[in-house]
Amino acid sequence: MIKTGAQHIEMLKDGRQVYINGQAAGDVTAHTAFRHTIQSVGTLYDFQARPDNRELMTFEVPERGGQRANRIWQLPRSHADLVERRKALEAWTELHYGFLGRAPDHVASCISGMFMGIEVFEAYDKARAAALADYYRYARDNDLYLTYAILNPQADRSKSAGEQEDRFLTAGVVDQDAAGLTIRGAKMLATGGIMANEVFVTCIQPLREGDEPYAVSFAVPMNAGGLKILSRKSYEESAVSVFDNPLASRFDENDAVLYFADVKVPWERVFVNRDIAMCQRQFHATPAHVFQNYQAQIRLMVKMRFLVGIARRIVETNGVINFPQVRETLGALAAQNTMVDALVHAMEVKGHMHGAYFAPDAHTLYSAQVLTQQLYAGVILALRELAGGGLIMLPSSVQDFADPELRSLIEKTQQSPVASSEGRVKFFKLAWDAVGSEFASRHTQYEMFYAGATFVTKGHSFRTFDWDRCTQLVDHMLDSYSLEDEVDRAALVAA
Ligand SMILES: Cc1cc2nc3c(=O)[nH]c(=O)nc-3n(C[C@H](O)[C@H](O)[C@H](O)COP(=O)(O)OP(=O)(O)OC[C@H]3O[C@@H](n4cnc5c(N)ncnc54)[C@H](O)[C@@H]3O)c2cc1C
């Protein structure tokens, strides 16, 4: 199935229990906190359904007799396949400028990666492997939008999940019967949950002996009985005009705490059951972790281009583009943009076969993660520095333009060598929404943490690096001389 935006939006009217501002949200597609971002997600599906995007966005599923699916579910068998898949992800990301961190391609990449490593699940438990394989095909063939919740809630991070004061703070198994598992407790966040079809739930954090109830992996629809979706504050809701908040009003993907009030999960949706080692292996012994984070770097590559474009427009609008220091800052931003771009391409070029499938290079990916996690806040700072008070020297809202006297004052006070007053205000409102608004601030937090805190991503970089190649060089150098030789040589010179 290749669904349209309208079909996706219709699927969200499913009775899911979303809570915001002290109330049940009801139909999320009509709610002022979510509806415009849901429409933006709809445009992704409309784009893939366009006949002229058939080749770009979809592929023929080998075992489905010519039926097509979105390329986010494609299992690359060569470098060329990987690149073809990336072009689809890149085109989709351009529709949201990189601001939908958990667009449907993120978790689809994770589940596809798990399927590419299905032998890891088979070695663990044949029934659970069959459940995962069936789920991959089900999600692909029904064009599902999946999100995931894979972190446990912060409480006391010095204690494991099972050592927290409330044993059911963290979502875990409270019961098991012939039908499946019963899950109780919370997961930290599910970004995009209110606009996704289903959520994949597991634990990527290290667990200790005794934490077995939390070492599960399963998927449920967002309207599963007992699943409560606790939304954070909506930035879309206070962004009442697109002109004032062009990003927040349309790309506020939402983040929500999930609470499982004894949610029943049937066995055909359980992929790992109380196995601590398998919770790690599902991500790291399969290409899942690499594929999900490769998608994130493709997204960031597009977002960086957008931010660098904003930087260029800031300095043009303020007439400072010819100052050498300004050009230096732009040059540095351009180099950072190209580094992100180059790392994505390097992951592909240095990729390798994982069984029958071609996966991006893990260490290049983790290097990109470590570097970009630090780079993002610096890029935002550079844009703020280039912009000065222009980000703030703005009319309070679009309504100021409706008053003739205020409009004429805006025209007098908003000046630029390259833009009209209206153009200047329009642009700086966009720039503020990208770098300084509450929406923008949440994005900085997102880029710093979506893949784990820095000690986590640096740990992956440490784990996957080819240390021998470096230490062998050092050893080779050390082997090229010895103390005895040098003592003998010194004695000869002295004689
Ligand atoms: C905007 C946003 C959206 C998110 N969306 C999702 C989502 O859709 N799905 C999902 O599953 N998760 C999501 N997350 C959660 C994200 O994965 C976590 O924030 C991330 O993994 C870091 O975990 P934490 O927040 O618990 O931070 P912590 O692990 O508590 O770390 C916070 C800080 O505490 C210190 N610290 C903690 N532990 C250690 C340690 N062992 N050693 C040294 N220092 C330590 C470090 O200074 C660290 O930076 C989202 C997060 C954000 C901010």
Side-chain angles (χ1 to χ4, degrees):
M1 178 189 184
I2 300 294
K3 70 184 170 192
T4 61
Q7 284 170 322
H8 178 68
I9 292 167
E10 204 48 42
M11 288 166 97
L12 303 182
K13 299 175 187 174
D14 58 2
R16 58 190 58 204
Q17 294 179 288
V18 177
Y19 297 89
I20 187 165
N21 303 330
Q23 291 175 334
D27 175 4
V28 290
T29 70
H31 198 285
T32 51
F34 317 115
R35 61 187 176 183
H36 292 136
T37 304
I38 288 174
Q39 292 289 337
S40 298
V41 170
T43 64
L44 300 186
Y45 287 110
D46 284 339
F47 184 81
Q48 69 157 2
R50 265 172 36 193
D52 55 326
N53 285 331
R54 189 170 182 267
E55 269 310 308
L56 172 67
M57 293 305 302
T58 69
F59 74 109
E60 198 174 305
V61 180
E63 75 269 20
R64 297 270 301 170
Q67 281 192 38
R68 299 185 79 87
N70 190 310
R71 283 196 190 277
I72 63 178
W73 300 104
Q74 189 175 356
L75 312 174
R77 289 178 179 270
S78 65
H79 173 258
D81 280 358
L82 189 69
V83 170
E84 209 166 24
R85 184 179 179 276
R86 184 247 299 154
K87 286 182 180 163
L89 270 56
E90 203 175 336
W92 238 18
T93 308
E94 282 173 3
L95 302 180
H96 57 83
Y97 312 92
F99 284 93
L100 294 181
R102 290 286 145 82
D105 41 345
H106 186 76
V107 180
S109 298
C110 167
I111 299 294
S112 300
M114 287 185 180
F115 184 80
M116 286 183 239
I118 196 70
E119 71 282 356
V120 174
F121 285 85
E122 278 163 355
Y124 155 63
D125 183 318
K126 292 252 182 288
R128 304 283 60 81
L132 180 80
D134 286 348
Y135 188 67
Y136 161 75
R137 294 189 193 101
Y138 172 77
R140 175 196 67 195
D141 298 341
N142 290 285
D143 207 2
L144 292 189
Y145 178 173
L146 309 181
T147 186
Y148 63 27
I150 59 179
L151 261 281
N152 299 332
Q154 277 183 341
D156 184 344
R157 278 276 184 258
S158 70
K159 293 182 176 156
S160 74
E163 292 167 351
Q164 302 295 328
E165 207 165 298
D166 177 358
R167 211 160 58 83
F168 296 112
L169 165 72
T170 299
V173 180
V174 282
D175 193 21
Q176 168 177 335
D177 58 23
L181 302 178
T182 303
I183 304 292
R184 185 183 303 165
K187 282 299 203 185
M188 185 178 193
L189 282 174
T191 297
I194 55 111
M195 52 197 190
N197 298 114
E198 303 216 353
V199 60
F200 172 64
V201 183
T202 188
C203 183
I204 198 170
Q205 288 161 299
L207 293 170
R208 299 183 197 154
E209 208 183 317
D211 284 342
E212 286 76 9
Y214 315 101
V216 283
S217 171
F218 61 87
V220 286
M222 293 308 296
N223 67 347
L227 174 56
K228 296 181 187 304
I229 305 159
L230 310 173
S231 172
R232 64 151 160 78
K233 174 184 173 181
S234 162
Y235 312 133
E236 173 178 328
E237 196 159 40
S238 45
V240 288
S241 133
V242 176
F243 188 86
D244 287 323
N245 289 94
L247 296 171
S249 60
R250 294 180 294 180
F251 302 112
D252 180 17
E253 62 188 336
N254 194 268
D255 312 282
V257 171
L258 298 186
Y259 186 76
F260 295 80
D262 290 5
V263 173
K264 306 274 181 209
V265 186
W267 284 115
E268 58 270 25
R269 294 297 190 88
V270 178
F271 316 127
V272 176
N273 183 20
R274 293 186 262 203
D275 190 309
I276 290 173
M278 190 56 200
C279 271
Q280 288 297 311
R281 289 178 62 70
Q282 65 180 338
F283 285 108
H284 298 297
T286 73
H289 199 248
V290 167
F291 264 92
Q292 74 198 42
N293 287 301
Y294 163 64
Q295 180 279 338
Q297 292 297 320
I298 295 169
R299 177 191 58 78
L300 186 71
M301 173 175 81
V302 174
K303 195 180 189 187
M304 278 290 291
R305 287 180 200 148
F306 179 76
L307 291 173
V308 168
I310 296 265
R312 172 89 195 199
R313 285 276 180 271
I314 287 172
V315 302
E316 288 169 355
T317 306
N318 275 346
V320 294
I321 188 159
N322 289 322
F323 293 139
Q325 301 88 337
V326 167
R327 289 190 164 226
E328 209 180 297
T329 304
L330 283 186
L333 285 170
Q336 287 169 326
N337 173 75
T338 304
M339 181 190 80
V340 176
D341 215 280
L343 282 166
V344 168
H345 288 76
M347 284 167 218
E348 295 166 352
V349 171
K350 294 178 78 179
H352 58 89
M353 296 304 290
H354 179 104
Y357 306 107
F358 191 83
D361 178 58
H363 182 69
T364 312
L365 163 72
Y366 293 128
S367 304
Q369 258 187 355
V370 169
L371 296 171
T372 56
Q373 189 168 43
Q374 290 163 5
L375 173 131
Y376 191 83
V379 168
I380 296 299
L381 195 65
L383 264 67
R384 282 171 166 258
E385 199 163 358
L386 288 172
L391 294 167
I392 307 298
M393 188 192 83
L394 290 167
S396 59
S397 84
V398 68
Q399 287 170 31
D400 289 352
F401 282 92
D403 180 283
E405 193 186 340
L406 285 178
R407 190 175 188 130
S408 81
L409 283 172
I410 291 169
E411 277 159 11
K412 268 193 212 315
T413 54
Q414 298 286 339
Q415 301 282 320
S416 161
V418 297
S420 65
S421 300
E422 179 191 323
R424 181 188 164 89
V425 173
K426 184 178 186 186
F427 168 68
F428 271 112
K429 292 257 184 194
L430 169 64
W432 180 244
D433 220 13
V435 308
S437 67
E438 197 171 3
F439 169 87
S441 177
R442 177 262 176 203
H443 264 273
T444 301
Q445 204 69 5
Y446 184 83
E447 301 298 354
M448 288 169 70
F449 280 102
Y450 76 84
T454 57
F455 71 90
V456 174
T457 55
K458 286 174 186 161
H460 292 315
S461 172
F462 175 82
R463 177 173 61 77
T464 53
F465 187 57
D466 183 358
W467 291 104
D468 287 347
R469 197 172 175 194
C470 301
T471 53
Q472 275 164 12
L473 273 178
V474 177
D475 292 342
H476 191 256
M477 179 63 174
L478 288 170
D479 289 346
S480 69
Y481 58 91
S482 74
L483 177 63
E484 274 162 30
D485 288 349
E486 289 303 295
V487 170
D488 291 349
R489 205 189 319 271
L492 270 176
V493 172

